[in-house]
Amino acid sequence: MTSSQNELQAAIAVTRFGLGARPGEIAAASADPRAWLHAQIRPEGADRPIPPQGAWPDARDRLIALAGYRDQIRAIRQDLGLPRPGAVLTPVSTAVPPSASVPPGGAPFPQPGFDLRADFMAARKLAKAPLDDATNAEVLARVQLACATNAGFRERWTLFWANHFSVAGKDEAMQSLAPVFEREAIRPHVFGRFEDLLLASTTHPGMLFYLDQIRSAGPDSPAGLKRKLGLNENLAREIMELHTVGADSGYTQSDVTEFARALTGLSVGNGQPNGGEQGQVVFRVEAHEPGSRTVMGRRYEGEGPIAVRRILGALAADPRTARRLARLLAIHFVSDDPPPSLCARLESAYLRSQGDLSRVAEALIAAPEAWVPTAGKFKTPYEFWVSTWRVANLQPGDVRKDVLQPLTGLGMRPFSAAQPNGWADDALTWAAPDAMIKRLLLAQAFSAAHAPTSDPVQLAQQALGARLTPASATAIARAESRPEAFALLVMTPEFQRR
Amino acid sequence: MTSHRHSRPLAANRRHFLNAAGGLTLALMGGAHAFADPLVGRRKLVVIVCRGAMDGLSVTPPLGDADYLALRGPIAIPLDKALPLDGYFALHPKLVRLHTMMQSGEARFAPAVAIPERIRSHFEAQDMLESGGAHLYGATTGWLNRTLSAVGASRIRALSIGAQEPLILRGPVQAQSWSPGGRLAGSGARVATALQDLYKHDPMLGSALASGLATEAQADLLNGGQGLKGYDAKAFSTTAAGFLTAPDGPSIAVLSLDGFDTHAGQGAAEGQLAGRLAQLDSVLAGLHDGLGAEWGHTVVVVATEFGRTARVNGTGGTDHGTASTLLLAGGALKRGGIVGDWPTLQAARLFENRDLAPTLDIRSVFKGVLADHLGVDRRALEASVFPDSREARPVADLIAA
């Protein structure tokens, strides 16, 4: 291989397989780009975000803290005689009618108890702050990891699986659980067997809450009969449709319902009498629908949690799962319309290894289709933002200003995908006209605050290596100022694509 | 609503609307004919996609249906809270402004529409809803984009509000998009100029940036340079209205609302779904107020990918179903009763013994609106906008002449 080919491959390894170049990274990869990627595959899985101090709270800790917060709010409500949430609130009259004249120096400072509801809202906000702080610390550490890691391919691979098993902070419980789910259920398993990843996801409180499994009960189970409980089929459907075989695989409504029946009893303890320990994943035998189940043509005898494992195992081993995962990976790494030969390679690696994801990652690195010079992917907002920090050799420090506000503006706030299929992975979704304006505004704001003092053209070479086009290099060299040059760099077509 | 005003139960009247399809529609259309009407250039269409499968049985609860209360149990909308329409159907109590529109004949609904294939995957069903294909993966562009092509991209333009491009507007014609945020100025404008040069060889980024810059200039005029902050449903829709009413503004706008996937703790008059519907009502109010006089030339279509199970599930919610309610609003609507048939909730009528059965192909409503409101040529409607949709005949009589 000639050295110019090696240089291009190094740039591809770092920017397409990885999360974008930090200064010096392309040079480091250029000795042997494939080996550079290969070395990032490891049995212990993904890197873990670093906690600000001590250890991260686990899912149980977070659920216990949430229960404590809810108890506190309930007590305040009772003390103040406020109605329960959901009840119709009658407006609290304020002592000052709107027409009252405002004294010189401004409006009167509200007295305690002046507006009971306002006081209650303030108390609630204060009580919830520790929960939000804990979530924000997780989000910040996750982005910092992506911005600082030397193993960008490992982190990109991880983010793919996190998005495959997408969960989002749709309510208070999920705001606490979503980042914990990724850390506990996804990160350890990204280079292991897919079946283990699927089992870890399906039995984590994050997924059980997110897809409404926690209260699903067999209608004919003792608990179902006694308390008139019933099925919720959300988790069963999304496991089949999104996590494994796919909606086009030919399963029927009856398969979904049968799988939902098999899952009944799988839940999270709520600390109530007979409700299981708070935050602990439990299998409630008394809520499990009795009887044998038939899912996609296979019969499972009534073995409760063992049947769940068997069904998940069958789904993970299903060739339709192999085909679907292969295609999604090819879409993520190479092209919105990936070559069938690449999909076939990944599919066969999955099937030959019984779903060993490290083997699939190796097949991806080995595939010639993954190294075509054309950059087939347009970066998602998260990828664009992370790669911008990386080329500046910086990481975000303020979660609101550096992470949440910019990514909310771009439509991709972490842990907030609107639907369980996670974030879109195609250019048509993300390259809308307004999105380009928003990227330009962010590039400009970032540059004004953080543009590196190094030579802009050299920095562009560090960022893109052999992928930098002469036209872009010229435009960057002609910029009026360093901030302008940096904004231009991160907005060039070759930086926006990978 | 006519039947409401005459205290006549809608259910008795429910077959009327389908029967009128076909001949009358043909008579009203014809490509150039529509554009001879001086009003057509002012005509506006807003499509609101409610993602996650909006529960039609809570949006327009059929309180007159003998099976409704029993099927719905704790999530049934209580009689004393629902906003009455005609003694049979009512509106969810949060849809206050929509109720006013319905009472003044500026809103209608189709209680049991569905996409042409029976699927219960959100994502596949949204694809069908937005692509307008007759089959799953039957079309890869959006039907509104094909509408732009059919009418002529020089005569009509479209805008999506939000950070992501919805499928319904994707395709060869570049649509505008906009979301709240800061403003380009100073060096940003210089960088934009340099980028337009660099994007010359990247058609996707080039046309996106050019359109974004044009829209940005328009938004500057609208807001006096003040950007909206955060997600304020009413402000969003007021801004959308501002674009629609601007000189040379787009004729079509698309908005998306999320969060309708109410599998657990759906609530009734209050609760999870009620919150989403309150937001929907705010969006409709924002459009109404923001469009001002142009409201009279506007049709708003509120559609979702499918409905939810007729029965409440085991966790106080509903699972993926089939037919749902489609809402129409706007001053250009013709006064009238429900659109399509009401299948009833009798056990024998439920689809697969679980879902409200569809009585009307959702494309029939879209086609009726495109034909009679925007004057889209009938041949184009059948050939390109909604291919293989001949059986889904356009609903006639939706639009005031």
Side-chain angles (χ1 to χ4, degrees):
Chain A
M1 189 174 285
T2 67
S3 75
S4 75
Q5 269 177 323
N6 243 22
E7 276 173 30
L8 179 61
Q9 298 220 335
I12 289 173
V14 176
T15 61
R16 179 181 305 166
F17 288 81
L19 289 170
R22 299 168 75 210
E25 202 170 16
I26 294 177
S30 65
D32 187 342
R34 282 184 166 80
W36 183 81
L37 292 172
H38 226 277
Q40 299 184 29
I41 301 173
R42 56 176 202 181
E44 63 268 42
D47 298 280
R48 314 295 197 272
I50 299 163
Q53 68 242 338
W56 291 112
D58 63 15
R60 272 191 62 201
D61 298 333
R62 296 300 305 269
L63 285 169
I64 289 167
L66 178 66
Y69 156 76
R70 286 179 169 161
D71 286 345
Q72 192 183 348
I73 294 305
R74 202 172 299 124
I76 296 177
R77 276 184 193 283
Q78 274 170 4
D79 291 349
L80 300 184
L82 285 168
R84 279 158 39 85
V88 183
L89 291 172
T90 46
V92 175
S93 69
T94 53
V96 185
S99 59
S101 59
V102 177
F109 184 77
Q111 298 302 303
F114 167 80
D115 180 339
L116 205 53
R117 279 197 69 196
D119 288 353
F120 171 71
M121 301 296 259
R124 188 170 68 173
K125 200 171 170 186
L126 285 168
K128 187 155 182 284
L131 302 182
D132 294 340
D133 290 347
T135 297
N136 285 338
E138 296 252 15
V139 171
L140 180 63
R142 181 212 207 221
V143 182
Q144 284 175 335
L145 164 60
C147 294
T149 182
N150 290 320
F153 170 58
R154 182 154 73 221
E155 184 63 9
R156 173 179 290 288
W157 182 263
T158 303
L159 293 172
F160 169 84
W161 292 108
N163 195 44
H164 185 73
F165 293 98
S166 178
V167 295
K170 63 177 182 173
D171 53 30
E172 281 172 351
M174 281 316 299
Q175 282 160 20
S176 290
L177 289 174
V180 184
F181 169 83
E182 179 180 305
R183 204 161 37 70
E184 295 181 344
I186 304 298
R187 289 188 177 266
H189 302 290
V190 295
F191 292 117
R193 292 169 69 236
F194 179 74
E195 183 179 345
D196 294 336
L197 179 59
L198 177 64
L199 182 64
S201 158
T202 307
T203 56
H204 191 277
M207 191 59 82
L208 297 174
F209 268 90
Y210 181 61
L211 292 177
D212 307 307
Q213 174 63 27
I214 48 165
R215 288 194 293 158
S216 185
D220 299 321
S221 67
L225 291 169
K226 195 166 131 200
R227 284 182 279 151
K228 284 194 156 184
L229 302 172
L231 283 185
N232 185 308
E233 64 183 41
N234 205 12
L235 178 63
R237 181 183 299 280
E238 303 303 17
I239 288 174
M240 295 171 90
E241 175 181 338
L242 298 175
H243 302 161
T244 62
V245 290
D248 56 356
S249 60
Y251 59 80
T252 64
Q253 176 61 44
S254 149
D255 292 319
V256 173
T257 312
E258 279 286 273
F259 187 17
R261 289 181 184 125
L263 285 168
T264 50
L266 183 59
S267 186
V268 180
N270 57 13
Q272 304 294 316
N274 302 322
E277 205 177 320
Q278 180 69 258
Q280 186 80 45
V281 174
V282 293
F283 195 91
R284 294 195 174 112
V285 175
E286 72 283 2
H288 183 66
E289 181 74 356
S292 63
R293 306 268 77 92
T294 300
V295 179
M296 296 180 81
R298 282 196 213 188
R299 191 177 154 90
Y300 300 87
E301 297 310 325
E303 295 155 335
I306 301 299
V308 172
R309 283 173 184 267
R310 289 194 210 279
I311 296 170
L312 292 175
L315 287 169
D318 195 302
R320 290 165 288 193
T321 298
R323 173 160 302 178
R324 185 157 173 279
L325 296 179
R327 184 171 157 76
L328 292 173
L329 280 165
I331 287 173
H332 180 72
F333 278 90
V334 179
S335 164
D336 293 356
D337 185 16
S341 57
L342 172 62
C343 299
R345 282 179 212 278
L346 301 178
E347 182 182 341
S348 127
Y350 184 98
L351 290 172
R352 272 186 285 122
S353 67
Q354 277 93 52
D356 181 338
L357 299 179
S358 67
R359 291 304 164 88
V360 181
E362 287 166 7
L364 176 70
I365 296 168
E369 297 91 341
W371 296 88
V372 291
T374 308
K377 294 296 292 184
F378 179 71
K379 288 177 183 174
T380 66
Y382 193 82
E383 293 166 357
F384 161 62
W385 196 230
V386 163
S387 58
T388 298
W389 288 91
R390 286 179 70 84
V391 66
N393 209 8
L394 292 170
Q395 37 176 310
D398 179 326
V399 70
R400 287 191 178 77
K401 193 162 65 68
D402 296 340
V403 176
L404 298 178
Q405 283 163 17
L407 288 173
T408 303
L410 293 176
M412 199 175 178
R413 183 186 169 104
F415 302 109
S416 71
Q419 305 186 90
N421 58 342
W423 300 111
D425 199 0
D426 66 333
L428 288 173
T429 300
W430 297 115
D434 179 69
M436 297 312 298
I437 302 295
K438 293 294 185 289
R439 286 187 187 208
L440 177 51
L441 286 166
L442 271 182
Q444 199 190 352
F446 182 95
S447 303
H450 303 298
T453 51
S454 48
D455 176 69
V457 178
Q458 276 180 13
L459 192 66
Q461 273 153 1
Q462 299 270 1
L464 295 158
R467 295 187 51 227
L468 179 68
T469 61
S472 295
T474 307
I476 291 165
R478 283 184 187 155
E480 282 189 14
S481 64
R482 280 207 177 88
E484 224 171 287
F486 188 83
L488 204 47
L489 160 60
V490 298
M491 290 305 293
T492 55
E494 56 266 45
F495 192 89
Q496 289 293 320
R497 295 178 180 274
R498 61 178 175 95
Chain B
M1 279 188 176
T2 313
S3 45
H4 173 69
R5 286 160 56 83
H6 297 287
S7 309
R8 184 155 49 98
L10 276 175
N13 191 16
R14 64 199 176 212
R15 288 216 167 263
H16 167 72
F17 301 95
L18 276 184
N19 295 344
L24 178 59
T25 313
L26 265 173
L28 282 175
M29 292 195 309
H33 157 79
F35 277 91
D37 176 350
L39 276 182
V40 165
R42 293 174 69 179
R43 291 194 171 180
K44 310 294 181 193
L45 172 64
V46 181
V47 178
I48 300 173
V49 182
C50 292
R51 298 178 193 278
M54 181 172 72
D55 182 37
L57 293 175
S58 296
V59 174
T60 51
L63 299 181
D65 190 302
D67 295 298
Y68 174 75
L69 289 177
L71 283 168
R72 287 274 151 155
I75 61 163
I77 307 301
L79 188 59
D80 59 336
K81 299 270 170 53
L83 307 174
L85 290 175
D86 63 344
Y88 192 91
F89 288 100
L91 270 186
H92 190 281
K94 293 293 177 194
L95 296 170
V96 176
R97 289 291 299 272
L98 180 65
H99 189 237
T100 310
M101 296 174 197
M102 290 229 173
Q103 286 178 316
S104 62
E106 292 191 329
R108 295 171 66 174
F109 66 96
V113 299
I115 54 173
E117 283 199 5
R118 304 284 78 90
I119 41 185
R120 294 196 183 97
S121 150
H122 291 298
F123 318 108
E124 291 188 338
Q126 285 171 35
D127 277 0
M128 284 199 80
L129 174 72
E130 296 180 71
S131 71
H135 312 285
L136 190 56
Y137 308 122
T140 52
T141 57
W143 61 264
L144 277 177
N145 199 283
R146 297 194 299 274
T147 299
L148 299 179
S149 298
V151 174
S154 60
R155 303 170 81 172
I156 185 168
R157 281 179 298 111
L159 166 84
S160 71
I161 303 277
Q164 299 178 23
E165 181 89 329
L167 172 60
I168 195 170
L169 260 181
R170 286 186 208 162
V173 181
Q174 176 75 65
Q176 297 171 260
S177 79
W178 185 83
S179 71
R183 292 279 168 268
L184 273 181
S187 83
R190 278 200 304 278
V191 173
T193 309
L195 284 178
Q196 282 179 299
D197 203 39
L198 282 181
Y199 287 2
K200 267 190 311 205
H201 303 295
D202 191 322
M204 184 182 83
L205 297 188
S207 79
L209 181 67
S211 167
L213 290 169
T215 308
E216 197 62 12
Q218 236 173 18
D220 261 343
L221 295 175
L222 288 177
N223 293 337
Q226 300 230 316
L228 288 173
K229 291 264 162 65
Y231 193 94
D232 172 345
K234 186 160 182 194
F236 248 49
S237 58
T238 310
T239 306
F243 277 108
L244 289 168
T245 52
D248 296 324
S251 303
I252 298 175
V254 177
L255 292 95
S256 295
L257 294 177
D258 296 319
F260 287 94
D261 196 17
T262 47
H263 282 278
Q266 173 171 317
E270 298 287 338
Q272 198 188 138
L273 179 61
R276 308 312 296 166
L277 293 178
Q279 191 172 46
L280 173 61
D281 201 58
S282 294
V283 168
L284 293 170
L287 287 170
H288 174 275
D289 301 350
L291 283 166
E294 301 305 310
W295 177 254
H297 312 298
T298 298
V299 172
V300 183
V301 181
V302 182
T304 191
E305 68 263 32
F306 46 69
R308 310 195 65 84
T309 45
R311 287 179 196 91
V312 62
N313 70 11
T315 57
T318 43
D319 292 318
H320 300 186
T322 303
S324 189
T325 295
L326 176 145
L327 298 168
L328 293 165
L333 286 177
K334 187 168 182 174
R335 190 178 275 275
I338 65 166
V339 181
D341 206 345
W342 175 243
T344 81
L345 293 169
Q346 288 168 37
R349 298 300 308 274
L350 293 181
F351 178 71
E352 293 185 349
N353 184 35
R354 62 179 255 151
D355 305 337
L356 178 67
T359 59
L360 182 60
D361 188 321
I362 199 162
R363 295 173 302 169
S364 295
V365 186
F366 297 154
K367 286 169 77 175
V369 170
L370 291 183
D372 294 349
H373 185 55
L374 293 186
V376 178
D377 177 78
R378 172 149 194 148
R379 277 160 307 177
L381 265 187
E382 303 291 352
S384 64
V385 180
F386 289 102
D388 300 322
S389 68
R390 216 160 312 143
E391 284 169 17
R393 297 201 297 175
V395 177
D397 270 349
L398 291 177
I399 308 299

